[in-house]
Amino acid sequence: MMFLKTAKIVSSYGKIVTLSQNNFLKIPKRNGYLLLVPEIGEDLPGKYPLLKEDKSPEFNTITIEKCVAVIGRQTLEFEDEIKTLGRKIENITNISPKNLFENVLNPLEEMYVSLNITWGIAKTLYLGNQSVMPTRCYTSIHERARRASSSRHICVPIYLACKNIISNKNIKLSNEQRKVLTKYILEGKLNGLGLSDTERDKFSQLTLLLIRDIEEYSRRVEAATNLFNYTIYDPIIMRDFPEEVLKTMVKDDARYRVGPWTITLDPLIKIPFMEHCPDRSLRSKVWDADVTKVSVFQDKVPHTSTLVEEIRYKRTRQAKLLGYDKYTDLSMETKMAGNLQNVYHTLDTLLKIARPAQECEIKRLCTFANERGHEGPIQQWDISFWSRKHLHSIYKYREEDTKIYFSLPKVLSSVFKLTETLFNVKFVESTIPDVWHKDVRFFNIFDLKKSSTDPIGSFYLDSYVRSGEKVRVLQNSGHMVTIKDKSKISGTKPLAALIFNFQPPFNKRPSLLSFKDVRTLLKRFGHMLQHTLTRVEHAEITGLSSVEWDAAFISDYFLENWLYEPSFLREMSCHQDTGESLSTEMIEMLRNTKLYLAGYNLCKELYLSRFDLELYSSDEFWVNIMDRLWSKYFVIPQQKRDCYICSFELIFSGDWAAAYYSNLWSQMIAADIYSTFQGTSFTNNEKMQEIGSRYRETFLSLGGSCPTSEIFRQFSGRDPNPKALLTNLGLDINSNMLKPNK
């Protein structure tokens, strides 16, 4: 069980990403593991068997058989090598840092980097071309690679050697060496290596039981989700739905206007359905099915309420065995926040402003809905539908109206220009034959302070949706896959893949992006920059490796913030017929979409964050926690049948137990960083470059080699201020609406 993120990261966002500890990617659940053996398929030679001589992936010739064979061989060799290296130092009590790194950790890193490359290539193919890497095959590769990768942190001799060196105050270490050793020690501790033999056996048994409960929980949620479907035959109900949404609800795309349409609890269908369905009773039906799907209110599938309690109980027992009072205390070991009190203080600070703002927002939304025939108060199943209509009414905002302004070539050019200006780098496209689809592009990144011919990193860009080939994702999702990490020992440079599902060019028009698409591109691009612009040379701590969980998305949100800067919006927009940039009025409209229902949306995240933390810091029944917290965070009434917590996968079968707040924390830190740029004129290029250089030298360069709290102080000269997020969301202004006029 690992609690530090490893170098293999895929970021995939909806409301918040569905995560595992080694992989930011949700794949279908299954029970048990499929053992891959190297005898299957081809057995390829060399340290990097899926790479060409120049160490670039040979995507054109990769097959399932090759991936299976290579991952099978590499994982077995990796696990055997860990045991061998451990035996070499098992009885050495005074091993030197030089000996440990040269003879143990460095060889281990070489194998680790090689394994990660194979894993990253398989992951890229899974997301980019399922005809080559179907889900069932990738699932097996993913599970096998994850287990092998984790095994490097459960070797007792390596753990003890690292502890002995760190505890010796007379030994001098570089900052990177110290961080690598510290990571091995913390990972070992959280895996129970510091326990006695008897306690370690208890910990292992408890872990196996926990895995069993989590797998059963996942199976029940998946079964219940798949069980619900409802067919609509009336085209009047579906007339306001967007074309691309209707196509997800029919068997035959050609009949998307005539139906029938099948509604399921798949987020790809459920979320847009709740936004566009005019029939309140149908919205209520789907909402109820979603929040009760594994609860005692459903008798067709087993409920999860008991499993939820078992999972949290076992996690608490794990924490106590490791010496922690609560599971939340264990979780905070890998968080920038440091302790539960800091998180609670921040959440409470935000709530003081967000809650009254929410009151104002819901009151206005209810008035708007009542004027248009809605009867009674707004309920949970009404928010999405009426907020979409309200947004259009007050700001004239419709997603399809802005699409004509954002072509992918123009947006990409503007993003390049912004980041090149801020960070003194250059993006140069290169034509390479070895890609998984003809539409995939390849870019090298050059550090202009160093060389214009030797790139410091590279990335693939796979932009367009391909039916039947790519994993279906929500509109505001995208992926950043790390294929290679920066490693001086292995001689590798950062390589990543950005994979999206944007609409392809059509009728001589370039690919046109919605505003949500543009936001997605900026987030994933920011994530990629932290991976590729790192200067840390150890794979264990380079880029996003070992960055605290609640700091993992800072670069994503930082770059997203530029989307609401008027000068940048003008730069990236260009009407496809007139050539005009967005008008001042349209820019203000887009900026207002970020602020719309900001109080309600923030309160929702605050509620879920607080619920998660209280769940794992006490033994109070989850229903009682929900009842106690609801009215504190929401204006809308609580529903007796709301058992959403029973299917809250992120904190039960996902790996965000006592960590759900992490996305919000990253958003807060990014808002504070961005406020530094806002403190000067955006037309002052010299000042912008000075601040941009400081950001690159801290957040982008240092990666996991330094605590993020220290990195923030290096950048800002102070500690973070949560009020920056309130300002960023316009809540410091909106909350004043509730104050009486003087």
Side-chain angles (χ1 to χ4, degrees), residues 362-389:
I362 296 300
K363 182 178 180 180
R364 284 186 298 173
L365 183 62
C366 189
T367 299
F368 172 83
N370 290 156
E371 290 173 349
R372 286 154 182 79
H374 178 87
E375 296 182 359
I378 290 285
Q379 304 290 352
Q380 293 179 57
W381 51 86
D382 299 318
I383 298 287
S384 296
F385 176 76
W386 286 111
S387 62
R388 180 182 64 83
K389 284 187 168 293

Side-chain angles (χ1 to χ4, degrees), residues 244-279:
E244 59 269 24
V245 173
L246 292 175
K247 288 180 178 179
T248 66
M249 299 176 178
V250 293
K251 292 182 179 180
D252 181 2
D253 282 2
R255 296 182 58 81
Y256 75 93
R257 285 294 180 192
V258 295
W261 302 269
T262 301
I263 312 305
T264 71
L265 299 183
D266 180 344
L268 282 166
I269 294 175
K270 178 193 67 180
I271 293 175
F273 177 80
M274 297 300 287
E275 290 177 350
H276 292 87
C277 177
D279 188 319

Side-chain angles (χ1 to χ4, degrees), residues 231-392:
T231 303
I232 297 176
Y233 296 93
D234 186 355
I236 295 177
I237 293 175
M238 311 300 290
R239 63 185 176 188
D240 289 337
F241 281 67
E243 176 182 320
E244 59 269 24
V245 173
L246 292 175
K247 288 180 178 179
T248 66
M249 299 176 178
V250 293
K251 292 182 179 180
D252 181 2
D253 282 2
R255 296 182 58 81
Y256 75 93
R257 285 294 180 192
V258 295
W261 302 269
T262 301
I263 312 305
T264 71
L265 299 183
D266 180 344
L268 282 166
I269 294 175
K270 178 193 67 180
I271 293 175
F273 177 80
M274 297 300 287
E275 290 177 350
H276 292 87
C277 177
D279 188 319
R280 192 184 191 196
S281 63
L282 287 181
R283 295 199 306 270
S284 175
K285 181 183 182 70
V286 173
W287 176 87
D288 184 81
D290 189 42
V291 300
T292 65
K293 56 178 174 274
V294 282
S295 73
V296 293
F297 294 110
Q298 297 290 346
D299 56 6
K300 293 183 179 180
V301 293
H303 63 79
T304 60
S305 182
T306 304
L307 273 176
V308 163
E309 293 301 319
E310 281 295 318
I311 289 169
R312 65 189 288 225
Y313 169 71
K314 289 181 175 65
R315 283 176 170 156
T316 299
R317 282 189 61 196
Q318 281 186 323
K320 289 185 180 296
L321 272 174
L322 294 175
Y324 299 97
D325 184 39
K326 301 180 287 261
Y327 186 79
T328 45
D329 297 331
L330 181 153
S331 175
M332 289 300 131
E333 287 275 29
T334 58
K335 307 300 184 296
M336 177 187 174
N339 58 64
L340 192 59
Q341 289 68 38
N342 287 342
V343 182
Y344 280 169
H345 172 73
T346 298
L347 298 183
D348 290 344
T349 299
L350 297 173
L351 183 63
K352 285 179 183 178
I353 302 300
R355 182 59 162 75
Q358 180 196 169
E359 291 178 12
C360 181
E361 293 166 349
I362 296 300
K363 182 178 180 180
R364 284 186 298 173
L365 183 62
C366 189
T367 299
F368 172 83
N370 290 156
E371 290 173 349
R372 286 154 182 79
H374 178 87
E375 296 182 359
I378 290 285
Q379 304 290 352
Q380 293 179 57
W381 51 86
D382 299 318
I383 298 287
S384 296
F385 176 76
W386 286 111
S387 62
R388 180 182 64 83
K389 284 187 168 293
H390 191 212
L391 188 61
H392 174 62

Side-chain angles (χ1 to χ4, degrees), residues 131 214 351 472 489 583 642 731:
S131 63
I214 289 172
L351 183 63
R472 294 200 318 165
I489 295 157
S583 65
D642 188 351
L731 292 176

